[in-house]
Amino acid sequence: MLTDGQVHIGFREPDQLAGRDDNGNVTVSDETVLCGKVRLRDMGVQILHEFRLSPSITAEIPADPDFIAELRNFALIDYLEPVTTGEYYTTPLFY
């Protein structure tokens, strides 16, 4: 995961599979999200953006496999995805 260390992190309740249900409703409490953000800051994660309508953040993390594994095992994290940017493929196609 080499994306200059920027990732999207979603939160969930520790006893649930996701932070949203099948209808898109948020199923994680504000308190749980706050606890997750506090713990991540304590681990040295720099939070770049906090979403208001989604239980998620954009953050900068070290590109260290052990650290990433620790985050993936954190009970309050629903998902950890790299922030990616797209580039157009500019080579012409020949038929």
Side-chain angles (χ1 to χ4, degrees), residues 55-71:
S56 60
I57 60 171
T58 300
E60 189 169 324
I61 64 171
D64 172 21
D66 293 332
F67 187 81
I68 293 168
E70 185 178 351
L71 289 179

Side-chain angles (χ1 to χ4, degrees), residues 30 49-56:
D30 292 340
H49 183 77
E50 300 181 31
F51 295 92
R52 291 182 18 198
L53 300 177
S54 175
S56 60

Side-chain angles (χ1 to χ4, degrees), residues 4-19:
D4 295 332
Q6 291 189 9
V7 294
H8 295 295
I9 298 174
F11 296 100
R12 64 179 174 90
E13 296 291 340
D15 62 342
Q16 296 188 351
L17 295 176

